[in-house]
């Protein structure tokens, strides 16, 4: 058995998750030329994570039916999955959104700061902090007069998103870096509860299982999309008062139901409690403590349903001095040295994909599946914690191990170059073209049973079988 360059990161991941008897013999990987314009070894890391998801789904299928589906994928599809939203078309037009305000700015003393304003309230809050209108020249002039660290700290104090750009050595000096390094990539823990077997049968590995998806943007919603891809009934619950980015709602919405629950109302609280009481998995990917403050912390969910698998996903982890700090993929790249790597003499730049979001989303789905396997085999209630920063730490470690991908293209492939991987669907949003699922089971590609729908399209109750 040869898993190519993905073998080392896959073994490392399985060791971190303590899945010692993973059925590796069921996995086949086809090596393809590198696709993305970066020297980071994105392909083997993405292939390892997707391979782990496939193996967990195969194992669940075995436990439910006695069948042993073989898992296969190729490195090109896995790598491109890390840039999924970049290959989304709505009515034949590219759908990816980024506010022009968002980006890197030169600060005082030769430093840089990253300002995240893809949501209007975050952008307007940073403009107020800087005391300028939404004009590029005015923003650049205001930032140039301030220290990057001062902007970062004041933004955090105001609940906004800005990051002083650090090199890797600078990041490793932070106490938060040490706190993250002390944690496993996937922290899976068992609590007390009686055994809860998997529902028998079903056409797909996760048929009969329900996931409550409380998340926004990319990483959390991707975990829910992945569970739906393999047959779970996934209910994404959000608030009508929270802003969203339509392209990401579409990209991460395949396979899901979508409901509103307003937690400032008795009806919304009751609906969310009822959903949790009949769920198998609940994912909390909101700002740490946000749901707990509203009566929906992990222990609150366990009181409603002692057999739940609880997933917690954050930016900078739930440990260390930065626990609770807001963040997105780009902010974590800027903070952990990724945006400065190889940029000597030039300004910082983000990777040409969002690997922290997508890898962490797939890792969360893997953790959920592994927890379901453990719940079936050992009983107990299970909880998993993951963070974008822990994924960044793993990416750095694996880069040190695997080395750089020197023979990378100068630009990411355009739509025409990936046309063989795209599928077009009729949806409530129009004609949506997107990358198809990468994993195959016994040669048959995974599919979505439902197309994306606008947030709040479905009633806040589990659909009848």
């Amino acid at each position: 058995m040869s898993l190519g360059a993905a073998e080392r990161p896959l073994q490392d991941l399985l060791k971190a998750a303590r899945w010692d008897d993973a059925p590796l013999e069921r996995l086949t990987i086809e090596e393809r030329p590198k696709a993305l314009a970066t020297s980071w070894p994105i392909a083997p890391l993405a292939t390892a994570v997707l391979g782990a998801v496939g193996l967990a789904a195969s194992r669940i299928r075995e436990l439910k039916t006695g069948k042993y589906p073989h898992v296969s994928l190729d490195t090109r599809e896995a790598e491109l999955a890390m840039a999924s939203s970049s290959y989304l078309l709505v009515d034949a037009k590219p759908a990816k959104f980024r506010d022009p305000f968002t980006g890197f700015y030169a600060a005082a003393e030769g430093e840089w700061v990253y300002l995240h304003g893809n949501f209007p309230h975050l952008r307007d809050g940073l403009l107020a902090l800087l005391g300028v209108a939404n004009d590029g020249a005015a923003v650049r002039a205001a930032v140039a007069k301030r220290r990057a660290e001062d902007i970062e700290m004041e933004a955090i104090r105001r609940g906004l998103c800005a990051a002083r750009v650090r090199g890797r050595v600078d990041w490793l000096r932070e106490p938060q870096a040490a706190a993250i390094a002390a944690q496993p990539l996937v922290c899976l823990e068992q609590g007390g509860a009686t055994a809860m077997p998997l529902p028998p049968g079903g056409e797909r590995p996760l048929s009969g299982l329900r996931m409550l998806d409380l998340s926004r943007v990319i990483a959390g919603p991707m975990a829910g999309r992945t569970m739906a891809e393999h047959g779970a009934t996934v209910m994404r619950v959000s608030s009508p008062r929270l802003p969203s980015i339509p392209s990401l709602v579409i990209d991460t919405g395949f396979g899901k139901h979508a409901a509103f629950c307003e937690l400032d109302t008795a009806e919304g609280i009751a609906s969310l409690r009822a959903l949790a009481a009949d769920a198998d998995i609940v994912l909390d990917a909101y700002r740490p403590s946000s749901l707990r403050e509203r009566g929906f912390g992990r222990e609150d969910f366990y009181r409603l349903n002692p057999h739940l698998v609880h997933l917690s996903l954050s930016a900078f982890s739930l440990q260390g001095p930065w626990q609770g700090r807001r963040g997105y993929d780009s902010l974590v790249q800027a903070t952990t040295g990724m945006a400065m790597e190889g940029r000597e003499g030039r300004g910082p730049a983000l990777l040409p994909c969002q690997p922290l979001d997508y890898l962490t989303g797939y890792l969360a789905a893997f953790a959920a599946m592994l927890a379901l396997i453990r719940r079936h085999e050992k009983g107990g209630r299970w909880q998993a914690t993951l963070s974008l920063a822990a994924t960044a730490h793993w990416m750095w470690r694996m880069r040190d191990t695997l080395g750089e991908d020197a023979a990378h293209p100068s630009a990411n492939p355009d739509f025409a170059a990936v046309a063989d991987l795209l599928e077009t669907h009729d949806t409530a949003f129009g004609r949506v073209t997107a990358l198809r699922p990468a994993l195959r089971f016994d040669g048959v590609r995974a599919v979505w049973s439902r197309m994306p729908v606008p947030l709040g399209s479905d009633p806040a109750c589990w659909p009848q079988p």
Side-chain angles (χ1 to χ4, degrees), residues 159-172:
L160 304 171
C161 290
R164 177 171 71 86
V165 178
R166 296 160 172 83
R168 186 184 186 187
V169 172
D170 194 12
W171 161 243
L172 291 175

Side-chain angles (χ1 to χ4, degrees), residues 101-102 115-129 155 158-162 216-217 243 326 328 331:
F101 168 87
T102 296
L115 304 181
H116 187 287
N118 282 351
F119 291 113
H121 71 288
L122 297 179
R123 179 199 63 213
D124 294 345
L126 289 169
L127 289 170
L129 184 159
R158 297 188 186 199
L160 304 171
C161 290
R216 298 171 68 209
V217 194
R326 299 171 187 264
Y328 300 96
L331 285 156

Side-chain angles (χ1 to χ4, degrees), residues 142-161:
V143 172
K145 297 175 183 177
R146 300 190 183 208
R147 297 173 65 243
E149 184 175 7
D150 293 341
I151 295 174
E152 178 184 73
M153 296 311 298
E154 180 61 18
I156 291 167
R157 189 185 71 80
R158 297 188 186 199
L160 304 171
C161 290

Side-chain angles (χ1 to χ4, degrees), residues 329-362:
D329 180 301
S330 52
L331 285 156
V332 179
Q333 284 193 44
T335 301
T336 59
M338 300 178 78
M340 287 303 297
E341 182 64 16
R343 303 291 299 178
E344 291 80 5
R346 298 175 289 171
L350 297 175
L351 274 64
C353 58
Q354 293 167 285
L356 302 181
D357 271 332
Y358 288 105
L359 286 174
T360 308
Y362 284 118

